[in-house]
Amino acid sequence: MLNYDKHKFKYQENIITNSFLSFTTIARDKKLTFTAFLLIFMIIISSISNAFAADNIKQNLDKINKICAEAEIRYQDLFTNISTYNSDNNQKNKIIIKLYKYTFCPPYLEITKGTTVQFVNVDKRTSHSVWFKDNGKDESDRFFPEESVEMFFNEIGEFNYICGPHWQSDNMLGVLKIIK
């Protein structure tokens, strides 16, 4: 169950109860079959569940945004001369993804074909890796705080990636969408 306070949960419980009572009255008046009744009731419950899920997603997005704001501050503190850090290889299309508190920042990114992504570990003590496991790619070596891994992307599509040591225990996942 999602973490709601008692009043909010009671309110949502009342919505479900009232919806059920209203629906059973309509079903009885319209003489719906039991199967039709169950199907429609499941749709109602699904809608209510989606509202709960949307609230949970918003809470997670707020948490991710906070972590990513902290990651940006840490990145700025570690690499004060960002223009020099970004142009180490004199590449025009280089994007930085920060790894901090078991989160890829940003967790979803859209880039153009031919872009290099530099995954930078801005954690204080934790090592990470980047692994495009679903695409059959090898996992990167682990990289430690203040280290990075660069990858060049020249294939169009949407690709899920994970941190090898933290994707199961800490849900450390990301999505990279490459467009023309």
Side-chain angles (χ1 to χ4, degrees):
M1 175 184 289
L2 301 176
N3 186 16
Y4 291 102
D5 60 44
K6 285 193 288 189
H7 299 294
K8 187 172 182 182
F9 180 74
K10 191 65 177 165
Y11 172 74
Q12 291 164 341
E13 184 180 50
N14 288 339
I15 291 173
I16 293 170
T17 304
N18 291 338
S19 296
F20 180 75
L21 292 174
S22 298
F23 182 70
T24 53
T25 303
I26 293 168
R28 185 187 65 233
D29 292 347
K30 299 292 182 187
K31 296 183 175 141
L32 293 175
T33 65
F34 183 71
T35 305
F37 170 81
L38 281 179
L39 180 62
I40 295 170
F41 186 70
M42 287 172 58
I43 292 169
I44 290 170
I45 294 300
S46 175
S47 298
I48 293 169
S49 295
N50 288 341
F52 292 164
D55 191 39
N56 192 35
I57 289 168
K58 183 185 180 323
Q59 289 174 0
N60 284 337
L61 287 176
D62 291 344
K63 179 183 173 188
I64 289 169
N65 287 336
K66 182 180 179 204
I67 290 170
C68 289
E70 292 171 10
E72 182 60 31
I73 291 167
R74 178 116 171 97
Y75 178 81
Q76 296 289 336
D77 289 344
L78 292 172
F79 307 103
T80 54
N81 192 348
I82 293 169
S83 61
T84 302
Y85 190 72
N86 279 339
S87 63
D88 283 345
N89 295 332
N90 295 323
Q91 288 184 314
K92 184 179 174 184
N93 295 330
K94 186 184 284 188
I95 303 292
I96 305 289
I97 294 179
K98 297 155 209 79
L99 290 75
Y100 186 66
K101 293 187 176 180
Y102 308 106
T103 305
F104 290 104
C105 295
Y108 176 87
L109 186 62
E110 187 173 292
I111 62 172
T112 57
K113 179 180 172 183
T115 299
T116 297
V117 175
Q118 184 175 22
F119 296 88
V120 180
N121 184 345
V122 295
D123 262 317
K124 293 182 180 180
R125 293 179 189 86
T126 306
S127 66
H128 296 288
S129 70
V130 177
W131 189 8
F132 288 82
K133 184 179 179 182
D134 293 346
N135 298 80
K137 305 289 184 192
D138 290 335
E139 180 179 2
S140 73
D141 290 335
R142 282 197 182 197
F143 51 106
F144 294 86
E146 301 182 38
E147 294 181 341
S148 66
V149 168
E150 286 188 10
M151 297 181 181
F152 180 74
F153 296 92
N154 210 24
E155 184 180 341
I156 294 172
E158 189 168 285
F159 306 98
N160 298 321
Y161 60 94
I162 60 177
C163 174
H166 303 119
W167 69 280
Q168 288 178 314
S169 60
D170 299 294
N171 205 29
M172 192 168 177
L173 314 165
V175 178
L176 198 57
K177 183 175 183 178
I178 295 99
I179 59 172
K180 286 186 179 184

